[in-house]
Amino acid sequence: MKLKKQVTVCGAAIFCVAVFSLYLMLDRVQHDPARLQSGGNFPRSQISVLQNRIEQLEQLLEENHEIISHIKDSVLELTAHAEGPPALPRHAPNGSWVLPPESRPSFLSVSPQDCQFALGGKGQSPDLQMLAVYSLLPFDNQDGGVWKQGFDITYEPSEWDAEPLQVFVVPHSHNDPGWIKTFDKYYYDQTQHILNSMVLKMQEDPRRRFIWSEISFFSKWWDNISAQKRAAVRRLVGNGQLEMVTGGWVMPDEANSHYFAMIDQLIEGHQWLEKNIGVTPRSGWAVDPFGYSSTMPYLLKRSNLTGMLIQRVHYAIKKHFAATQNLEFMWRQTWDLDASTDIFCHMMPFYSYDVPHTCGPDPKICCQFDFKRLPGGRINCPWKVPPRAITDANVAERAQLLLDQYRKKSKLYRSKVLLVPLGDDFRYDKPQEWDAQFLNYQRIFDFLNSQPNLHVQAQFGTLSDYFDALYKKVGIVPGMKPPGFPVLSGDFFSYADREDHYWTGYYTSRPFYKSLDRVLEAHLRGAEILYSLALAHARRAGADGRYPLSDYALLSNARRNLALFQHHDAITGTAKEAVAVDYGVRLLHSLTNLKRVIVNAAHYLVLGDKDAYRHDPAAPFLGTDDTRPSQDSLPERTVVRLDASPRFLVVFNPLEQERLSVVPVLVNSPHVRVLSEEGQPLPTQLSAHWGSATDVVPDVYQVSVLARLPALGLRVLQLHKSFDDHATLKSSVRLYLHGRDLPVRKQEAVPVHVFPGTADDFCLESQLLQACFTGRSGLLQSIRRAGEEQEQRVSSEFLVYGTRTSKDKSGAYLFLPDGEAKPYASKDPPVVRVTEGPLFSEVASYYQHVQTTVRLYNVPGVEGLSLDVSCLVDIRDHINKELALRFSTDIESDDTFFTDLNGFQIQRRRYQRKLPLQANFYPMPTMGYIQDTQSRLTLHTAQALGVSSLGSGQLEVILDRRLMQDDNRGLGQGLKDNKRTCNRFRLLLERRATASTVQDGRPISFPSLLSHITSMHLNAEVLVMPVAQEKLAPPALRSFLPLSTTFPCDFHILNLRMLQAEDDSLPSAEAALILHRKGFDCSLEAKNLGFNCTTSQGKLALGSLFQGLELSSLQPTSLTLMYPLGTASNSTNIRLDPMEIATFRIRLG
């Protein structure tokens, strides 16, 4: 009663405030002094009066919004402390389940200003928009002569008379941290020798230069060298002979990697460099990723780099940019209106980054200047003309030949400064090669520089030497836009290196590991945050002596294993089988360690009496939610054994938003009740645990609990063995065998009705959705949202792509299909199992190679607004086949669809009919969608896969590929090591609240808030940790709620990671807090979100954010913490623009 009174009072207050504000607005408009002054004669003054009034109204709306936000917070606080015993679900007369109304109101309060961003602004449009470039190009692949994919380049010798050509030859060695060999084998066989020779040979001549990018290798070598050698390295870096480029742990793949991991590997490398060498990278170097994402220039720019280089871009785009002198440009983000994201980018013009394709357009000539290929060596020139050592007798002729190539290459760029890389994979591993390259080139340079009539200055340089000379030549400081250079926005997917050989297969190759990557990433983020919070609380209580600080070493190791896997031959699925196993072992090892870190932190944080905390590694207080017996097996969920005394569960929600979730737990008895920490019964659903289509696992049951989980918090639940079954509602199961004679193993406790024949078409219904299925296939046919008459056709089907019969076939990299996909044909009709219950209902269809489950959650809020779709795929008996899942709808999407880049931003795509089928596939790390003026259908994914829309209203995703041959890109193997892989999705259908002109051709698009949060739910699953059984009478446990206020729902805590102390296995007193403010589209309906979502125009008070902890210092820094931004102020209030990622160095305690 008291609660009702309070809510009524607050409701009345809101009403009063709103009415009063409107009165004020009208009052102000009537007594506007500006009207009296203007005299009303001039139309212009009337316009300015109107403008003023509009601004006043906007301001009043904002003030009103803020007042209402405050009232909401008070209502929330009142209702939070006034939750009565939760009511339980009941069966309605129509047979559906009705959940009790939520005892707590939920708000959606988005400030009107925060909706402006997605509408775009008045910024200057870029000179080059990649979607427009694609529409423009013919992609005709004409023979260009010696530069096969280009054209003939001519020049006048007098062109450099006024301004000589400045040439920088940049020696480099591309070291893959795993590809044909494992990381360690490469290190011992090659990399250590390259770096050892480098120290020796660079000191022989101060004119020599070298660049290095992979810190994973460099740090391993550093750990194994003497102090004397380390000092020599610091000297070489200090005097500019050796440059660390990009400085990431690896050179990451940019298609499948998630932005959390991209940033993490960059921080890992930059922190290592700062600590060990005291250097901050200035230029980015990415010669080998198979296509480029626009996320990377954003991250490099925010890390304070001023220039970057890329190489593997579609040959037709290279040719077009070369012909228009647009190979160097300022790369800008699509949403950027003030050029704050611009970074200077250099695109290499030719086929490869090896020596034959870097000195100029003719590989036959350039190969003669790769002095590792001198006669008598292990490698030679395929063009049949070998290099010749440079002597006094031949230097004039050789230098002239090389200069001709330099001049031709220079004609493709706008400035008279030229970059000529000199290197290849694992080059410079022997002293002889250093001598051959450096001595011969120095003779050429000496000759060129001694001939004033040639008007050339040639020398060795680093990448930054080149950029600096270019900036100087055009008269700007690094980071600024050179006059006359174009601005580009968009990305460089998909990549083809020749003919119709599109590198779109690797978007899906080895999906098992792509999925494991994301599981590890979610665990790393969760472990980082919980460890940081537990450590801060322990330090505050003076208990850090008893807390396992050594867990920091496990975190550090996991960061590095996740970082290593972002390498462009790891997450891509393009390494040898044994190397893939090596990566898998590392990932699993770290996953196991992170579960330990989470368990230890959760143990400390939920103890009522912190003094009782004892860390016992031999007998952990909490168990883990699942285990994986080996690196290539799917997780096996932990079964909680019930006995006379209650069992306790600690449930971790890694999201910064509270969530209402159905939490699944496996138990060994059907007689179970689940209570909250306070002893109130919670709504639960009991189901069987199925081992196969028709077999129930004996003595194992799934109990699903509806629980409200605090943001970033830990909730304590109790499991009781109980024969009073009122609170636990059972699922009912219908099993359709489709005429197959199959034995069915059931359990008494959960009723299963077996039908030997085929089901009729049927529908499942929840409070928010109805989903209809074909009885014969068990596959989805349509979705209807609550409150809508019309259902939306969303039919799903499985398809199979074959590969070509010609010599070029699909492999780990390439997708070369033999035409359009054919429908998947199973040997037997599927077994279809329909489960219905109060908290969820689902349809599972078992085919020979894939079992798919579509689940509806009957809960208010985010979980209940989308369909949970999973596909367990096993194509180990397929030969040269790829399995796809296609959704077909009536959405009039025409030829347009949208995919995300790295889970960070959305890129508009267009199906290009002039290109082959395989060219129209794109990476989908977290989501893809199609839309028209009324609807949007989003496929959210928990693992990176390849996606396309090959027809209007379609969206299809490649689930797995099994290919029996190599595709001639150096791997030397097919893809035959397929695993049983579980691909997880969420299918979200949204309606436009405002009839919006969505097809206006702008390249920019954003998910809705609901879509963002759905993606987070899918990617950051709840972790359930049972208290160990031996602890018969566990100490009092209390739920842990770390945040003192609700977080704005367009903000995401990307990470909160402790920084390392001097001893790098221990944490320092400081942590890095990384925040991302998401851009979102307000035009899609946001009803029934089920959580309190407010936005704050990007303002956030960090000082009072963490309950029970003080923020004693806050220093904004560059993304990777290398540079402080501004001075550390006493204010702990921050502001972020939409889409921005910001890093803060903080102290919590």
Side-chain angles (χ1 to χ4, degrees):
M1 200 59 212
K2 187 176 170 211
L3 169 64
K4 273 188 184 162
K5 205 180 275 179
Q6 287 168 329
V7 173
T8 312
V9 170
C10 286
I14 291 175
F15 179 73
C16 294
V17 168
V19 171
F20 185 60
S21 304
L22 286 168
Y23 169 77
L24 274 177
M25 286 179 204
L26 291 167
D27 190 53
R28 281 195 193 179
V29 170
Q30 279 168 347
H31 299 104
D32 193 334
R35 177 186 299 184
L36 299 172
Q37 289 163 6
S38 68
N41 299 330
F42 304 101
R44 183 174 295 169
S45 66
Q46 287 181 355
I47 290 168
S48 69
V49 168
L50 271 173
Q51 274 178 333
N52 284 340
R53 282 190 202 156
I54 289 168
E55 280 167 17
Q56 285 173 351
L57 278 169
E58 278 182 349
Q59 198 180 342
L60 283 162
L61 273 171
E62 288 300 339
E63 286 168 15
N64 208 21
H65 171 77
E66 281 186 26
I67 294 166
I68 290 173
S69 296
H70 286 307
I71 294 173
K72 281 172 189 163
D73 282 343
S74 354
V75 173
L76 287 180
E77 275 177 42
L78 290 170
T79 50
H81 301 306
E83 280 193 54
L88 297 170
R90 60 185 175 77
H91 235 128
N94 69 354
S96 68
W97 288 96
V98 179
L99 281 175
E102 268 283 81
S103 61
R104 297 179 53 175
S106 62
F107 292 113
L108 172 75
S109 168
V110 175
S111 146
Q113 272 187 330
D114 291 336
C115 292
Q116 288 304 308
F117 176 74
L119 303 173
K122 300 282 181 289
Q124 200 185 343
S125 56
D127 308 293
L128 302 165
Q129 212 301 312
M130 287 312 298
L131 201 60
V133 171
Y134 257 81
S135 303
L136 178 84
L137 294 185
F139 293 97
D140 52 0
N141 192 22
Q142 292 184 358
D143 190 329
V146 291
W147 175 17
K148 213 168 168 35
Q149 296 170 328
F151 46 84
D152 235 9
I153 308 172
T154 56
Y155 62 86
E156 294 298 325
S158 60
E159 283 186 47
W160 291 272
D161 288 3
E163 198 184 343
L165 181 64
Q166 215 178 338
V167 181
F168 288 91
V169 173
V170 180
H172 67 100
S173 179
H174 179 67
N175 283 237
D176 289 302
W179 179 39
I180 305 300
K181 303 179 185 177
T182 64
F183 173 77
D184 285 338
K185 186 108 175 70
Y186 270 139
Y187 174 78
Y188 290 115
D189 290 358
Q190 282 149 296
T191 308
Q192 62 169 338
H193 304 303
I194 296 168
L195 291 167
N196 285 331
S197 311
M198 182 268 299
V199 180
L200 208 64
K201 291 292 173 183
M202 295 285 278
Q203 294 182 86
E204 289 178 5
D205 186 336
R207 294 173 298 180
R208 295 182 177 180
R209 299 286 182 274
F210 197 63
I211 60 171
W212 188 267
S213 76
E214 300 80 11
I215 304 303
S216 47
F217 275 131
F218 202 87
S219 66
K220 186 178 175 74
W221 173 67
W222 188 263
D223 290 343
N224 289 299
I225 61 175
S226 65
Q228 192 183 0
K229 212 178 243 188
R230 288 180 182 182
V233 172
R234 289 194 188 101
R235 276 197 305 276
L236 290 169
V237 170
N239 69 17
Q241 284 186 264
L242 170 64
E243 183 184 14
M244 302 313 243
V245 284
T246 315
W249 202 246
V250 296
M251 183 185 291
D253 170 44
E254 298 185 21
N256 303 291
S257 51
H258 190 262
Y259 77 121
F260 173 95
M262 290 171 82
I263 293 170
D264 218 55
Q265 68 85 28
L266 206 53
I267 291 177
E268 202 54 36
H270 286 187
Q271 290 290 293
W272 188 92
L273 283 172
E274 186 178 50
K275 185 172 181 238
N276 293 284
I277 303 183
V279 64
T280 54
R282 295 174 46 210
S283 304
W285 172 264
V287 288
D288 204 23
F290 325 137
Y292 297 91
S293 160
S294 46
T295 304
M296 203 64 188
Y298 175 78
L299 300 180
L300 296 180
K301 170 76 173 186
R302 291 291 174 256
S303 303
N304 265 20
L305 276 74
T306 52
M308 61 183 293
L309 171 146
I310 59 177
Q311 148 61 22
R312 287 193 185 268
V313 171
H314 194 300
Y315 60 87
I317 292 173
K318 286 188 172 216
K319 176 181 176 176
H320 173 64
F321 280 8
T324 51
Q325 287 194 328
N326 284 334
L327 289 164
E328 290 182 320
F329 48 85
M330 296 304 281
W331 198 344
R332 179 177 299 169
Q333 299 305 312
T334 43
W335 67 84
D336 177 14
L337 301 177
D338 61 3
S340 71
T341 59
D342 288 19
I343 183 171
F344 186 78
C345 180
H346 171 102
M347 183 190 291
M348 292 167 58
F350 307 123
Y351 172 76
S352 163
Y353 55 82
D354 61 9
V355 185
H357 296 94
T358 45
C359 90
D362 189 345
K364 180 178 180 176
I365 292 173
C366 291
C367 196
Q368 299 171 45
F369 294 90
D370 181 358
F371 296 102
K372 184 186 168 93
R373 302 178 195 242
L374 284 165
R378 293 218 330 257
I379 54 168
N380 52 26
C381 282
W383 296 269
K384 304 285 188 289
V385 185
R388 303 213 297 271
I390 305 299
T391 61
D392 289 345
N394 69 10
V395 67
E397 175 261 328
R398 302 312 286 165
Q400 195 67 53
L401 187 63
L402 183 58
L403 178 59
D404 176 59
Q405 291 298 307
Y406 287 170
R407 285 174 171 173
K408 285 176 174 164
K409 181 177 180 178
S410 162
K411 289 289 286 177
L412 308 179
Y413 291 89
R414 290 175 188 240
S415 87
K416 297 279 200 290
V417 186
L418 181 67
L419 172 67
V420 181
L422 180 70
D424 202 344
D425 292 6
F426 294 97
R427 281 300 190 88
Y428 301 97
D429 60 343
K430 293 190 171 60
Q432 297 88 303
E433 185 185 350
W434 285 85
D435 291 343
Q437 303 284 32
F438 280 93
L439 295 172
N440 282 300
Y441 266 97
Q442 194 59 58
R443 287 174 194 133
I444 293 172
F445 298 161
D446 290 345
F447 176 81
L448 290 172
N449 299 342
S450 70
Q451 306 288 316
N453 59 319
L454 295 178
H455 303 284
V456 62
Q457 168 71 42
Q459 64 205 68
F460 291 118
T462 62
L463 183 57
S464 291
D465 286 341
Y466 166 74
F467 283 137
D468 286 344
L470 185 139
Y471 299 142
K472 189 174 169 186
K473 185 83 89 172
V474 296
I476 57 157
V477 296
M480 277 178 62
K481 177 180 182 297
F485 281 65
V487 172
L488 174 144
S489 75
D491 68 338
F492 296 100
F493 290 119
S494 288
Y495 168 58
D497 58 347
R498 55 179 188 252
E499 292 140 27
D500 59 353
H501 293 193
Y502 283 84
W503 297 45
T504 51
Y506 83 96
Y507 302 156
T508 292
S509 298
R510 295 198 171 112
F512 179 90
Y513 294 109
K514 286 175 163 66
S515 170
L516 183 56
D517 162 76
R518 290 276 274 280
V519 172
L520 180 63
E521 179 180 299
H523 276 77
L524 177 59
R525 180 180 166 275
E528 295 273 21
I529 293 171
L530 267 195
Y531 178 83
S532 300
L533 293 172
L535 187 57
H537 280 283
R539 282 174 170 167
R540 195 172 170 87
D544 43 332
R546 286 180 286 126
Y547 193 81
L549 296 179
S550 55
D551 279 2
Y552 189 74
L554 302 181
L555 276 176
S556 189
N557 182 257
R559 291 168 181 171
R560 291 178 174 191
N561 280 335
L562 181 69
L564 184 71
F565 196 67
Q566 304 315 304
H567 163 54
H568 56 263
D569 288 305
I571 192 171
T572 51
T574 56
K576 290 261 193 205
E577 286 177 18
V579 179
V581 171
D582 182 63
Y583 288 132
V585 168
R586 289 168 186 270
L587 296 178
L588 178 61
H589 173 73
S590 286
L591 183 61
T592 310
N593 283 342
L594 289 174
K595 285 185 186 287
R596 244 173 72 191
V597 175
I598 291 170
V599 157
N600 290 340
H603 174 197
Y604 181 79
L605 292 168
V606 296
L607 278 185
D609 173 12
K610 302 280 190 262
D611 293 339
Y613 178 77
R614 295 286 175 276
H615 170 60
D616 180 359
F621 181 76
L622 295 167
T624 56
D625 53 333
D626 60 28
T627 51
R628 293 180 183 242
S630 67
Q631 58 87 22
D632 60 353
S633 52
L634 289 167
E636 295 174 7
R637 289 166 55 202
T638 304
V639 179
V640 178
R641 313 221 155 268
L642 300 177
D643 50 32
S645 53
R647 292 293 306 268
F648 289 86
L649 300 176
V650 175
V651 184
F652 174 41
N653 167 22
L655 295 189
E656 56 283 285
Q657 299 297 342
E658 176 183 84
R659 74 205 254 183
L660 187 65
S661 280
V662 175
V663 179
V665 187
L666 293 185
V667 291
N668 67 339
S669 161
H671 307 294
V672 59
R673 273 195 332 147
V674 184
L675 307 180
S676 69
E677 177 184 358
E678 299 77 20
Q680 302 290 355
L682 294 175
T684 52
Q685 173 175 334
L686 186 78
S687 353
H689 184 52
W690 294 85
S692 70
T694 53
D695 282 357
V696 165
V697 179
D699 305 323
V700 177
Y701 302 86
Q702 175 163 299
V703 57
S704 303
V705 193
L706 181 61
R708 186 173 281 286
L709 305 171
L712 285 178
L714 299 158
R715 176 142 188 212
V716 178
L717 304 178
Q718 318 178 30
L719 292 183
H720 288 255
K721 197 163 187 174
S722 156
F723 292 90
D724 164 20
D725 284 353
H726 292 306
T728 304
L729 299 153
K730 294 181 178 172
S731 312
S732 65
V733 178
R734 305 195 301 279
L735 194 61
Y736 298 94
L737 299 179
H738 282 184
R740 293 168 65 183
D741 183 19
L742 296 167
V744 177
R745 191 194 307 178
K746 318 192 260 193
Q747 282 184 342
E748 277 172 48
V750 183
V752 176
H753 305 285
V754 179
F755 298 87
T758 303
D760 296 330
D761 292 357
F762 61 94
C763 299
L764 295 179
E765 201 158 348
S766 73
Q767 296 173 40
L768 302 172
L769 291 175
Q770 179 194 58
C772 297
F773 299 82
T774 313
R776 181 153 202 85
S777 68
L779 297 179
L780 182 67
Q781 280 309 298
S782 69
I783 299 173
R784 186 170 62 78
R785 293 160 30 111
E788 289 184 5
E789 293 296 306
Q790 198 56 44
E791 57 183 36
Q792 172 80 55
R793 180 171 79 92
V794 182
S795 64
S796 60
E797 59 181 320
F798 291 104
L799 302 160
V800 176
Y801 284 98
T803 190
R804 298 181 177 179
T805 48
S806 64
K807 71 173 185 0
D808 294 314
K809 293 181 169 59
S810 299
Y813 302 91
L814 307 183
F815 178 34
L816 295 171
D818 58 354
E820 293 188 5
K822 297 170 183 62
Y824 164 72
S826 191
K827 196 171 65 182
D828 300 301
V831 171
V832 176
R833 187 176 69 235
V834 183
T835 304
E836 292 191 72
L839 298 183
F840 72 86
S841 300
E842 68 180 21
V843 180
S845 315
Y846 287 78
Y847 290 87
Q848 186 185 350
H849 300 100
V850 57
Q851 74 186 54
T852 179
T853 306
V854 178
R855 177 180 286 202
L856 278 81
Y857 285 106
N858 188 30
V859 300
V862 179
E863 301 268 275
L865 286 162
S866 56
L867 295 180
D868 193 305
V869 179
S870 63
C871 298
L872 185 59
V873 177
D874 185 352
I875 56 168
R876 287 176 293 186
D877 64 351
H878 272 173
I879 289 178
N880 277 330
K881 296 274 190 290
E882 314 200 16
L883 184 68
L885 169 62
R886 179 184 292 168
F887 295 96
S888 302
T889 73
D890 301 323
I891 292 172
E892 294 171 7
S893 59
D894 196 24
D895 60 357
T896 299
F897 59 110
F898 299 82
T899 65
D900 74 304
L901 290 167
N902 318 100
F904 174 62
Q905 59 181 317
I906 300 292
Q907 180 67 51
R908 181 187 173 102
R909 308 287 184 197
R910 195 171 289 129
Y911 176 75
Q912 301 281 359
R913 283 179 177 72
K914 63 188 170 188
L915 293 179
L917 183 144
Q918 65 270 21
N920 287 291
F921 275 80
Y922 291 93
M924 177 179 66
T926 65
M927 70 178 81
Y929 55 82
I930 51 171
Q931 62 183 20
D932 59 18
T933 50
Q934 267 92 47
S935 314
R936 177 184 287 182
L937 181 75
T938 307
L939 181 67
H940 288 278
T941 175
Q943 57 287 309
L945 295 167
V947 73
S948 189
S949 170
L950 300 176
S952 184
Q954 289 185 4
L955 202 55
E956 76 175 73
V957 56
I958 309 279
L959 299 172
D960 199 2
R961 37 205 322 260
R962 183 170 171 84
L963 302 160
M964 312 317 283
Q965 62 283 315
D966 179 47
D967 50 8
N968 300 310
R969 290 305 181 277
L971 180 61
Q973 276 184 354
L975 280 179
K976 304 186 216 173
D977 56 350
N978 304 69
K979 325 283 179 213
R980 284 179 74 235
T981 300
C982 186
N983 291 313
R984 295 172 38 247
F985 308 100
R986 278 279 173 94
L987 197 60
L988 174 66
L989 176 66
E990 295 176 284
R991 297 285 185 226
R992 292 203 175 271
T994 51
S996 138
T997 52
V998 295
Q999 307 297 71
D1000 59 2
R1002 282 182 316 153
I1004 191 165
S1005 183
F1006 297 96
S1008 65
L1009 277 171
L1010 169 60
S1011 188
H1012 277 306
I1013 289 153
T1014 302
S1015 179
M1016 309 263 268
H1017 275 230
L1018 179 61
N1019 282 286
E1021 288 192 299
V1022 163
L1023 291 182
V1024 183
M1025 298 165 275
V1027 175
Q1029 202 164 3
E1030 309 76 72
K1031 318 274 189 236
L1032 285 175
L1037 303 180
R1038 295 213 187 101
S1039 292
F1040 168 65
L1041 289 71
L1043 302 183
S1044 53
T1045 53
T1046 53
F1047 216 61
C1049 52
D1050 54 347
F1051 269 80
H1052 172 47
I1053 297 182
L1054 195 61
N1055 210 345
L1056 173 61
R1057 58 180 263 168
M1058 296 303 300
L1059 299 174
Q1060 61 182 29
E1062 263 317 297
D1063 170 355
D1064 56 17
S1065 64
L1066 292 173
S1068 70
E1070 291 186 314
L1073 173 65
I1074 308 176
L1075 299 175
H1076 175 205
R1077 184 176 170 207
K1078 305 201 164 190
F1080 61 91
D1081 185 338
C1082 291
S1083 69
L1084 295 142
E1085 266 179 20
K1087 289 181 189 162
N1088 314 321
L1089 282 181
F1091 73 99
N1092 306 301
C1093 173
T1094 57
T1095 65
S1096 58
Q1097 294 105 65
K1099 295 198 277 281
L1100 185 60
L1102 288 176
S1104 53
L1105 184 61
F1106 296 104
Q1107 199 156 320
L1109 292 174
E1110 250 173 65
L1111 190 67
S1112 59
S1113 76
L1114 173 78
Q1115 167 68 63
T1117 70
S1118 59
L1119 182 63
T1120 58
L1121 300 115
M1122 302 283 265
Y1123 300 88
L1125 302 178
T1127 50
S1129 71
N1130 291 335
S1131 166
T1132 53
N1133 296 335
I1134 62 150
R1135 196 184 160 280
L1136 234 61
D1137 284 329
M1139 291 305 292
E1140 289 295 346
I1141 301 174
T1143 302
F1144 303 89
R1145 199 183 274 272
I1146 65 169
R1147 279 173 191 255
L1148 274 180

